Amino acid sequence: MKQIFIPFLVFLMATSCKVQKEEEAAVKEPAVLWERQDETAQLKEQAQHENERMRFKLINSKTLDKNEIWRPFEKELSAFSAEKYESLKPVIFERSIPEIQRAIQSGKLSYTDLTLFYIYRIREFESNNEMSLNAVIALNPDVVAEARKLDEKGVPEGRENTIYGMPILLKDNINTDNMRTTAGALILAENKPSKNAFIVDRLKENNALILGKANLSEWAYYFCDGCPLGYSAVGGQTLNPYGRKKFETGGSSSGSGVAVAANYAVAAVGTETAGSILSPASKNAVVGLKPTIGLLSRTGIIPISGTLDTPGPMTKYVIDNAILLNALTGKDSEDPASVGGGKNYVKALTPDGLRGKRIGVMKSLLTDSLYNNAVEAMKESGAAIIEFEEEQVSLDNFLTLLSADMKKDLPVYLSNYAGKEVTYNNVEAIVKYNLEDSLIRAPYGQQLFDAIVADTTSAEELERISAQLQESGRKFFDEPMERYDLDAVASINNYHAAYAAVAKYPALAVPAGFESSGEPKSITFIAKPFEEDKLLNIGNSFEQLNYLRKPPGNYR
């Protein structure tokens, strides 16, 4: 009898070994969903674009293998089907944070499902060369495990208006201790900080899920002169979902704006020096808040200017912006400008936030039909509209401020907050590194970095320039605000972002509709320092009574 079974046992053992080897091969040979394509024809067509900044030299990064972005989740994604994705879409896609939290509370959704939905969606679009937006540089390899831990704890009560369990993307100049932080620059491609940025710790303390890193204009768009918005050597060329290769993405928080618009995450965090949140928010029909300098910490964020830099929330809805802002605030002893929070920005929202508010409207902008429509909507909402002619105020030495600040502030980051892999510690060293292979590292040049190297501004001159610019910015807003007792001034997109930046005043961009071409546009409200609660209330009222955001058609 034993002899009869021996061939059968040999067969079973051989089959078992074969299956084991096939399984091992499957592990060793990860799936390749994205393949690099020849971009010659696309770039030739792009060279005819009427906007010089849209005449790209490349679209996909020459160094990033996109398959590496979603590779940590192959096992989870293999069990997450297209049918599962479609079944979850009605309770996630274009939904606000309170709506998503209610779906989780009711059992229609889990934090793990929510996280995998976004990872699946990012992979589906970003692996398709005809649809990809290059909005994401990396995903957090621990995020699914972190989501599962929250599910295991059970869904707590009273989380409707909180960031608890919400997957958030970070602009890739914000430090995380388990992902690289690159600023889009190849010299920082292996930068692995040992500590999170202060605001990342605040998010984690509030149980947000850090989904990953968003692409950006390299070095926060203070690197090359006249180059495309949204380009970085690490992440490639970010593209606008409302007009792929047709419209600019805005910058420098390009990936953050694009990712929120395309529903790649619940929300994102950007950073602004002068327009870097307001611009991509406007170009991608999302809500973007540039807070007062000092409301949010800058520690652990790759800088341009310690005078003007600030992180800020980018969301689909104003209430989401208030929820994310609540989670980001906190007093940071390492940031000399930090003042901490203290307000609940969600509780500041009321149904009639515009009623009785005095809104200053610039006469020079009234020729814009969308601006006019917004003004009429505000009138109907009970706001008092005061037209004024803005004073011509120059911002002399603005670029000098940025160059001088970056020359002293970037080395501080490189020495104190970068990972040990980073051995370069000043702008001169970075310029030399880029010149060693400029076609890959700086295809559009590095004119602004050259200007930083050449800058000779003294500390005393820098202090004087900073004070003069702040005085000029405040004069631009204070003159009408005080003369007419205004609650806020209304602008368009990032038209007056530089004035708000040097004045250190908060600004909120809210979607205001679309041009006939299909390009998004925003109304931007500017108020006095630390009046974010007032701005969000005004913006929420404008959004509720005049909701004008639509998701990009090809990404629904």
Side-chain angles (χ1 to χ4, degrees):
M1 289 294 291
K2 190 180 289 185
Q3 290 177 337
I4 296 173
F5 285 109
I6 286 173
F8 183 64
L9 289 170
V10 170
F11 171 76
L12 283 178
M13 289 172 67
T15 303
S16 175
C17 288
K18 182 181 178 184
V19 170
Q20 184 177 350
K21 285 178 181 177
E22 287 175 351
E23 288 176 350
E24 287 174 355
V27 171
K28 290 177 182 176
E29 298 176 12
V32 175
L33 296 179
W34 174 78
E35 294 183 355
R36 199 176 299 280
Q37 65 174 0
D38 182 352
E39 298 177 347
T40 305
Q42 293 182 68
L43 297 176
K44 186 177 180 180
E45 181 182 353
Q46 207 66 26
Q48 308 304 313
H49 201 288
E50 61 183 2
N51 182 346
E52 286 189 23
R53 289 196 307 208
M54 294 288 287
R55 297 171 188 172
F56 306 143
K57 292 186 178 182
L58 60 80
I59 295 171
N60 287 316
S61 165
K62 292 184 181 294
T63 61
L64 177 66
D65 178 356
K66 286 192 180 181
N67 294 293
E68 296 299 325
I69 297 174
W70 45 78
R71 187 150 285 157
F73 310 101
E74 284 190 354
K75 182 179 178 182
E76 288 89 350
L77 289 173
S78 66
F80 192 90
S81 64
E83 291 75 19
K84 176 78 168 178
Y85 170 82
E86 291 297 334
S87 72
L88 293 173
K89 199 171 180 183
V91 293
I92 299 174
F93 184 79
E94 282 292 299
R95 297 295 183 182
S96 67
I97 290 173
E99 288 176 310
I100 292 171
Q101 294 284 25
R102 285 195 290 270
I104 292 170
Q105 192 73 48
S106 68
K108 295 177 183 175
L109 186 62
S110 69
Y111 294 117
T112 305
D113 286 339
L114 178 65
T115 303
L116 284 170
F117 175 91
Y118 288 122
I119 296 171
Y120 180 94
R121 182 172 171 83
I122 289 167
R123 186 185 68 172
E124 288 300 292
F125 283 111
E126 293 304 303
S127 63
N128 181 342
N129 279 316
E130 302 307 314
M131 297 292 289
S132 65
L133 300 169
N134 292 333
V136 177
I137 284 180
L139 292 172
N140 174 8
D142 304 322
V143 70
V144 174
E146 291 166 358
R148 286 200 180 107
K149 284 181 182 177
L150 293 184
D151 285 326
E152 288 166 6
K153 288 181 181 178
V155 182
E157 296 289 338
R159 295 294 180 185
E160 184 173 306
N161 291 327
T162 74
I163 208 70
Y164 190 97
M166 297 295 102
I168 307 298
L169 283 168
L170 305 173
K171 184 176 179 179
D172 195 25
N173 60 349
I174 301 172
N175 277 5
T176 48
D177 63 9
N178 69 335
M179 284 182 283
R180 295 173 180 87
T181 301
T182 72
L186 287 178
I187 198 169
L188 295 182
E190 297 302 320
N191 178 29
K192 301 172 186 174
S194 60
K195 289 177 60 178
N196 291 322
F198 180 90
I199 59 167
V200 174
D201 281 335
R202 288 291 298 131
L203 288 171
K204 293 176 79 69
E205 286 163 16
N206 284 284
N207 291 290
L209 295 170
I210 306 304
L211 182 59
K213 294 294 191 76
N215 200 2
L216 70 162
S217 305
E218 189 166 337
W219 293 110
Y221 206 60
Y222 204 71
F223 178 51
C224 46
D225 186 25
C227 53
L229 294 163
Y231 167 78
S232 78
V234 171
Q237 180 61 55
T238 314
L239 301 170
N240 190 319
Y242 289 95
R244 192 176 178 274
K245 298 185 292 183
K246 180 181 178 182
F247 303 138
E248 289 190 301
T249 57
S252 65
S253 303
S254 318
S256 299
V258 168
V260 173
N263 282 262
Y264 283 0
V266 167
V269 180
T271 67
E272 172 150 353
T273 305
S276 288
I277 288 172
L278 301 178
S279 167
S282 302
K283 293 288 188 182
N284 295 282
V286 302
V287 179
L289 174 68
K290 193 283 287 192
T292 309
I293 305 301
L295 182 64
L296 300 182
S297 162
R298 289 88 54 83
T299 299
I301 299 176
I302 298 172
I304 292 177
S305 166
T307 306
L308 304 182
D309 289 349
T310 178
M314 302 180 75
T315 59
K316 288 186 284 294
Y317 301 94
V318 174
I319 190 168
D320 292 358
N321 212 277
I323 290 169
L324 182 48
L325 183 62
N326 274 351
L328 291 166
T329 56
K331 173 71 172 172
D332 174 17
S333 60
E334 290 188 48
D335 182 348
S338 177
V339 299
K343 293 181 179 178
N344 186 319
Y345 296 101
V346 176
K347 288 185 176 179
L349 306 182
T350 62
D352 55 353
L354 272 165
R355 185 164 301 282
K357 296 293 190 301
R358 297 175 63 80
I359 308 296
V361 170
M362 302 184 196
K363 288 182 180 179
S364 65
L365 300 182
L366 288 170
T367 56
D368 185 289
S369 60
L370 287 178
Y371 188 73
N372 245 322
N373 292 341
V375 170
E376 290 304 312
M378 287 188 275
K379 281 182 185 175
E380 292 171 11
S381 302
I385 300 298
I386 295 91
E387 297 180 12
F388 70 93
E389 292 182 359
E390 64 270 32
E391 190 172 341
Q392 297 303 309
V393 177
S394 66
L395 297 180
D396 294 337
N397 294 313
F398 182 75
L399 291 182
T400 301
L401 171 68
L402 300 188
S403 292
D405 262 354
M406 197 169 190
K407 191 165 190 172
K408 67 179 177 61
D409 294 336
L410 183 55
V412 173
Y413 170 86
L414 295 172
S415 297
N416 299 335
Y417 299 102
K420 63 180 183 299
E421 305 79 13
V422 178
T423 57
Y424 301 88
N425 60 9
N426 57 54
V427 178
E428 291 90 339
I430 296 168
V431 168
K432 288 178 183 177
Y433 169 86
N434 289 334
L435 288 174
E436 291 170 8
D437 189 354
S438 59
L439 289 178
I440 298 292
R441 298 171 184 175
Y444 297 98
Q446 51 184 338
Q447 300 87 349
L448 295 176
F449 266 35
D450 288 335
I452 294 169
V453 172
D455 184 80
T456 57
T457 307
S458 68
E460 294 76 17
E461 286 176 302
L462 180 58
E463 188 175 347
R464 177 181 57 79
I465 288 168
S466 177
Q468 286 179 342
L469 283 167
Q470 182 170 341
E471 183 181 347
S472 296
R474 294 197 170 182
K475 180 181 179 183
F476 183 85
F477 293 114
D478 287 357
E479 198 281 328
M481 282 181 167
E482 291 169 7
R483 180 187 297 183
Y484 303 112
D485 191 25
L486 302 179
D487 291 290
V489 169
S491 178
I492 297 173
N493 291 6
N494 63 321
Y495 286 14
H496 297 93
Y499 291 99
V502 295
K504 302 184 181 178
Y505 283 7
L508 178 73
V510 183
F514 299 83
E515 302 275 20
S516 58
S517 63
E519 186 172 17
K521 208 166 196 175
S522 288
I523 293 298
T524 300
F525 299 101
I526 299 118
K528 288 287 187 80
F530 304 105
E531 291 188 342
E532 283 79 3
D533 51 343
K534 182 189 288 186
L535 278 184
L536 289 163
N537 198 21
I538 288 171
N540 184 60
S541 181
F542 178 79
E543 177 188 78
Q544 294 296 312
L545 297 167
N546 196 42
Y547 185 68
L548 293 166
R549 174 182 157 75
K550 295 176 185 174
N554 291 334
Y555 297 85
R556 293 184 181 180

